[in-house]
């Protein structure tokens, strides 16, 4: 039996293609694998220390809450330095993409590259000579060292926006600030978040060097283990540093997925 074109059109209209279900942003693997690995590593480390025969020097280095104090100092240094990186690099990146300040972009990027090209320990030493030992010198060094990825990603994300979208937004009467807040920044969010994630991990690693400037942190355990030749102290400081870096990177990756605008996702 033959069908007429009118019947074919009715059949197509009656059976529309079902919409593609949106992809889940965060899978159970993303939520469980790395935390489970970190818990296993920390549990194995605790069991090893529970059975280890520590001498007086090792016990003195790890007693009286010194481990928790060093860990808390490491977290503080990372959070505070990253906060200052964000309030410096993102507004500066936005400013350097405006027409009036674009000529200053090469100069700003040169200084940012110099900050990260300088060895972290050398930069910290110069700041200690200038400002004296303490947390202040460590924080300034960490900010200088980690500002490049956030600044460069902010500039790259804003420059990558389609000019026709911006012209369309201005054409419907949006102000320059409105275009920035509602069009440019949302489109640049993925690249900006990637830079923030890189800066966080950099700051966790750089914070271990704060001990050389009197800033504390897990570097205290590492340097104590090296200078006293006590392997348990060195191992504990190293494992905690690596675990903290992995945990921070995992949390940043979750934030990167959650904060990404849904309109930029395929299939949503």
């Amino acid at each position: 039996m033959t069908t007429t074109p009118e019947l074919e059109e009715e059949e197509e209209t009656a059976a529309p293609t079902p919409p593609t279900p949106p992809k889940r942003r965060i899978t159970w693997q993303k939520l469980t694998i790395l935390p489970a690995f970190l818990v296993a590593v920390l549990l194995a480390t605790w069991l090893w220390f529970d059975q280890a025969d520590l001498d007086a020097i090792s016990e003195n280095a790890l007693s009286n809450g010194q481990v928790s104090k060093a860990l808390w100092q490491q977290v503080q240094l990372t959070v505070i330095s990253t906060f200052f990186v964000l309030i410096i690099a993102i507004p500066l990146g936005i400013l350097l993409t405006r027409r009036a300040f674009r000529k200053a972009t090469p100069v700003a990027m040169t200084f940012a590259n110099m900050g990260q090209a300088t060895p972290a320990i050398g930069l910290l030493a110069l700041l200690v000579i200038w400002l004296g030992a303490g947390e202040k010198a460590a924080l300034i060094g960490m900010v200088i060292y980690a500002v490049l990825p956030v600044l460069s990603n902010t500039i790259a994300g804003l420059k990558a926006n389609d000019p026709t979208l911006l012209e369309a937004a201005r054409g419907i009467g949006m102000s320059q600030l409105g275009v920035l807040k509602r069009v440019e920044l949302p489109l640049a969010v993925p690249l900006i978040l990637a830079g923030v994630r890189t800066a966080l991990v950099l700051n966790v690693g750089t914070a271990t060097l704060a001990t050389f400037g009197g800033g504390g942190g897990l570097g205290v355990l590492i340097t104590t283990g090296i200078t006293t030749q006590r392997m348990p102290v060195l191992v504990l400081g190293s494992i905690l540093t690596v675990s903290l870096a992995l945990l921070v990177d995992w949390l940043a990756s979750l934030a990167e997925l959650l904060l990404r605008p849904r309109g930029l996702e395929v299939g949503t």
Side-chain angles (χ1 to χ4, degrees):
M1 187 176 72
T2 59
T3 59
T4 62
E6 290 79 10
L7 290 175
E8 290 180 355
E9 289 181 4
E10 290 178 3
E11 290 175 359
E12 291 177 0
T13 306
T17 303
T20 304
K23 295 182 180 179
R24 295 180 62 185
R25 289 192 167 198
I26 301 177
T27 62
W28 68 267
Q29 296 95 330
K30 182 74 173 177
L31 284 174
T32 57
I33 292 178
L34 182 61
F37 171 74
L38 292 178
V39 169
V41 169
L42 294 175
L43 180 60
T45 305
W46 179 78
L47 291 174
W48 179 61
F49 269 87
D50 189 52
Q51 298 177 358
D53 185 18
L54 303 179
D55 58 13
I57 297 177
S58 297
E59 289 183 352
N60 184 57
L62 301 176
S63 62
N64 299 323
Q66 294 190 66
V67 176
S68 58
K69 179 183 176 182
L71 181 59
W72 176 240
Q73 287 175 336
Q74 187 91 358
V75 173
Q76 280 186 311
L77 288 168
T78 301
V79 171
I80 295 172
S81 60
T82 305
F83 170 75
F84 281 107
V85 166
L86 296 183
I87 65 174
I88 292 171
I90 294 179
L92 182 60
I94 294 171
L95 189 67
L96 292 174
T97 56
R98 303 306 95 183
R99 185 175 300 175
F101 297 94
R102 285 175 186 169
K103 291 183 179 180
T105 301
V107 177
M109 291 302 298
T110 298
F111 279 104
N113 278 294
M114 287 173 57
Q116 195 166 68
T118 305
I121 187 65
L123 179 61
L124 180 60
L126 292 174
L127 289 169
V128 168
I129 294 172
W130 179 34
L131 300 172
E135 191 175 285
K136 182 179 179 181
L139 285 172
I140 293 176
M142 292 170 66
V143 170
I144 294 174
Y145 196 69
V147 77
L148 176 63
V150 181
L151 177 61
S152 60
N153 278 33
T154 301
I155 293 174
L158 291 172
K159 283 186 174 181
N161 291 336
D162 189 350
T164 57
L165 292 177
L166 307 184
E167 288 297 328
R170 297 187 190 101
I172 61 174
M174 293 178 65
S175 64
Q176 294 290 339
L177 183 60
V179 173
L180 175 64
K181 290 171 60 178
R182 301 180 63 181
V183 180
E184 291 188 79
L185 284 176
L187 291 174
V189 159
L191 270 177
I192 295 174
L193 290 177
V196 174
R197 181 178 175 182
T198 303
L200 272 168
V201 178
L202 277 174
N203 281 339
V204 174
T206 310
T208 57
L209 301 176
T211 182
F212 296 105
L218 292 171
V220 173
L221 299 180
I222 295 174
T223 55
T224 300
I226 293 173
T227 54
T228 61
Q229 297 184 353
R230 294 302 185 272
M231 189 58 65
V233 182
L234 175 60
V235 168
L236 181 60
S238 302
I239 288 177
L240 288 177
T241 302
V242 173
S243 299
L244 181 60
L246 291 174
L247 177 62
V248 165
D249 183 65
W250 175 71
L251 292 173
S253 68
L254 294 182
E256 192 174 351
L257 291 173
L258 291 172
L259 296 176
R260 182 189 299 268
R262 288 191 177 273
L264 300 181
E265 297 177 358
V266 178
T268 57

